[in-house]
Amino acid sequence: MKKQLRRFFVMTVAVLGLATAATAQVEDNTHRPYKGFSWGYCTYYAAQVFDRFAAAEGGIDWRGNGGMWLRAAQEKGWQTSTNPRDARVGAIIVWQNDGRGHVGVVDDVYPDGILISEMNWRVNSDGDATGGFNRISQSFLPFSTNLDRGVRRRYFFAGFIFPERAATARKGFSTQDARGTGRQIRTVDAVSRPRVVRKGRP
């Protein structure tokens, strides 16, 4: 009994500590939607960051919940990929599940995985307290998982949306640049996104 109480106490302190750290990441209290995407949700954050990469292409011009974004972007003529190894800095990553799905943004690409930032990745989504409503958090996702995630509720990788339309995609881009050189790719200026808390790769 004493061991169980001690274990419960340690787990409670750990969770509260994580929750306290995440509380400082509240990003925006204006409550204003962005391009029709409600404040505080994953789509709200991903749309703003993506638009800074895709400004020359006019930015996001689709709607819907996160899980609908891949098909919606394809229908609007955006370049996409369903290959996890095609990850590129600035791309939107889309997950699907039995609900609304989820989206985030690729921050860095490594030979063994990617670093993503996201908003509204809840405690009950992955068994941790790294994010939450209107909070930006970062996670490292290994390619060995096929970029699927979630413990209590599974989210399955659906694909990437790149910040350029298929008709005007840059020629000469090789996914080798993003995955095979053994070097860390950092092309995102810290001021190019809404106050991402950079924790680095685990």
Side-chain angles (χ1 to χ4, degrees), residues 92-104:
I92 290 173
I93 180 170
V94 180
W95 291 274
Q96 295 174 342
N97 63 355
D98 57 359
R100 298 178 180 178
H102 187 66
V103 291

Side-chain angles (χ1 to χ4, degrees), residues 14-27 102 116-141 149 197 199 202:
V15 170
L16 287 175
L18 286 169
T20 301
T23 301
Q25 298 177 30
V26 175
E27 302 300 329
H102 187 66
I116 61 109
S117 60
E118 60 199 328
M119 182 172 276
N120 197 33
W121 183 247
R122 297 179 179 275
V123 174
N124 62 1
S125 296
D126 207 15
D128 58 32
T130 59
F133 184 76
N134 193 39
R135 292 180 184 142
I136 297 170
S137 58
Q138 285 187 311
S139 296
F140 177 77
L141 306 178
R149 63 197 305 215
V197 179
K199 297 178 182 178

Side-chain angles (χ1 to χ4, degrees), residues 137-155:
S137 58
Q138 285 187 311
S139 296
F140 177 77
L141 306 178
F143 289 129
S144 60
T145 64
N146 198 46
L147 306 185
D148 296 337
R149 63 197 305 215
V151 175
R152 300 177 185 177
R153 188 177 185 183
R154 294 295 290 164
Y155 287 75

Side-chain angles (χ1 to χ4, degrees), residues 58-131:
I60 281 183
D61 56 357
W62 64 82
R63 297 292 181 268
N65 294 323
M68 303 166 57
W69 275 27
L70 190 67
R71 176 173 291 184
Q74 291 169 341
E75 291 175 351
K76 290 291 186 177
W78 291 89
Q79 185 183 7
T80 63
S81 173
T82 56
N83 183 349
R85 295 273 181 174
D86 282 344
R88 194 193 316 175
V89 172
I92 290 173
I93 180 170
V94 180
W95 291 274
Q96 295 174 342
N97 63 355
D98 57 359
R100 298 178 180 178
H102 187 66
V103 291
V105 180
V106 178
D107 287 344
D108 286 305
V109 183
Y110 302 84
D112 58 342
I114 63 175
L115 183 70
I116 61 109
S117 60
E118 60 199 328
M119 182 172 276
N120 197 33
W121 183 247
R122 297 179 179 275
V123 174
N124 62 1
S125 296
D126 207 15
D128 58 32
T130 59

